[in-house]
Every structure is written in structure tokens, then in C-alpha cells.
Amino acid sequence: MTSNPLGNSELHVSSLGFGAWPIGGTTYGDISRNEGQQAIGRYLDLGGRHIDTARGYRTSESIIGDVLSANNLRSEIVLASKTKANTPGEMRLDLENTLRELKTEYVDIYYLHQPPADPKERDIAIAAMSQFRTEGKIRVIGASINGPNVTAETEQMCRDYIACGQIGAIQLIFSIFRQRLRNILPLAKEKGVGIIGRTALESGFLTGKYSTGCRFPAGDHRNRWPSAQRDHIMESVSQVHQLLKEASYSAEILQAAIRFAVDEPGIDTVILGAKNSLQSEQTFRLDQIPPIPESLRQQLIASFDRQDTLYNLP
């Protein structure tokens, strides 16, 4: 895995980051602490050094804290977390709890998890973040731009947070199926703001594991999409399969989806989830994923760059 500078910050991030949402055990079914620890451990074995979690990811912060402290790896890791709070007092409480769970004195990136659109609320939240940075408890202020819908309002929020001049990192949705926020990347580069891509595998739909008619157990967040919409998504997945086949691309659809996001100019790192060591092995072997030929890349762009609404919730 290569290491890339994150915007104009002093941080360097692995090209693939470990996204800890699944190991928290709230949205992809029950996952044991041992499975979560093994997933992180395999990611670290493969050379990954960027771990992304959040206060809202249930037990994930404590699982990460246990792994890093047991292996004395904190100083080697770019560690990111998030708060859904927008008021200074609640944000501070979240941060103190995060630091305790992660067994660390600071986080490298601290995101507003649902950043407010209102300018006054935004300024209050960022002022609190700036104070945390002054205290040495965070290094880079980030905004994790709201999903799952990607709309004109989503794009404008990215622009507004970059324009405020206080943000060092923006986390945004980017995948084969959702390319609208490509428009943000040149602006972020111009302003020295790092870009962290997420949802490259579209909640697992782009792994190749599912087909039309797929159903998910109770509690799985993918049930947010009505069954008819899930079937429509899987039809688009079939289109991707066909394009890869016609281009004689040797990798699987999961690998193509990862490579598509990682190789997008302007994206510094892409965070991906894994529930166990096997999934980490399948997901984080970037060295084994061949580059997408430019002709195929252009076909994927042309076929899906107007389909951002595919994943928008009703």
C-alpha cells in the first residue's frame, strides 16, 4: 500500500484506510470483538496505517484502542474519529469519550460527522474544533459530508466547508455509481484540503456477492432501500460486470470498484470496511489489483456518472 500526503497537512495516509463502521456491530449484523480485532490486525499486517472510526460506531473505538495499545502501534497510525454533536459541550464530551476508548491522547483527524449546513452553526462547531486542536487533542479538522443521498445540496455543502478555510480534510462519497462529487476534487486540491473517499463498494453491493432478489437480515442498514430499488441497483451491478467482461479486465468487480476510486485524481485515500480477517485479506490487497485500462475507466464514467440518484433514499 502506498502512502499519500493528505492535502496540505503534515499527515500521510495509506491509499486504503480501514473503515470501522462494520466492526461496531450495529449495521451489518452481530460481529464479535475477536472478529473485529482480527480484521484490523490483518489490515495492519498488509501495511495499512489509516484507521477511520466514529463515536456513533458503537464498540469500534474500544476494539481499535485494544488492538493499537496491545501492539504499541499508536504512533504509526493515522487515526480518525467523528462526532455527530454540533454544540461545543457535547462535542467535547464526545471527544473525551473517544480518546478514552481509543486509549490515546489525540486523534489525527476529527470529523464533524453530520456537519451543519447553517453557517452560524457551522462556525460554532468549527470554533470548538479549533480549540481542541489548540489543546493538542486533534491535529486536522475534518467534515464527513452527509449521506446516503448525493444531491446538489451535498455538493454545495462540500464547497461551503472548503471555502470556510478551517477544514483540512473532507470525507465524501465516491464510487462507480456515485461520481457527482468529482466536481469537488479540483477545488479541494487548490485549497489544500485532503480528500477521503468512502462507500466505494456501495455498502457491499459492488462486491459481487449479491444478485437481484437479495434480502438482508433484520437490523442490516441495507434494508433502508426498498426491495425494488435494491433490484435496480443489482441491475446496474450486472452492467458493470458486463463492461469488465467486454474489456477483458482480469480482476473481480470488488477489485475494480476499489481501483476505480483509489485511482481517481484528487482522492488521497479510500476507506473500506471489513468484518473479519478474510474480508480484510480480500479488500486490502491493493498490490494485487491491476490498474483499470483508461478505455474501460472512461466507459465506467460515461455509463454511470449520471446515476447518483440510484442510491438516494425515497
Side-chain angles (χ1 to χ4, degrees), residues 252-264:
E252 299 176 356
I253 189 169
L254 176 148
Q255 296 173 311
I258 293 171
R259 180 60 78 178
F260 183 87
V262 168
D263 290 347
E264 179 66 29

Side-chain angles (χ1 to χ4, degrees), residues 142-154:
S144 180
I145 303 302
N146 306 355
N149 294 358
V150 176
T151 64
E153 289 75 18
T154 311

Side-chain angles (χ1 to χ4, degrees), residues 141-169:
I141 299 171
S144 180
I145 303 302
N146 306 355
N149 294 358
V150 176
T151 64
E153 289 75 18
T154 311
E155 184 176 343
Q156 187 59 50
M157 181 174 282
C158 291
R159 294 185 183 279
D160 290 343
Y161 271 85
I162 292 172
C164 80
Q166 299 297 313
I167 297 294

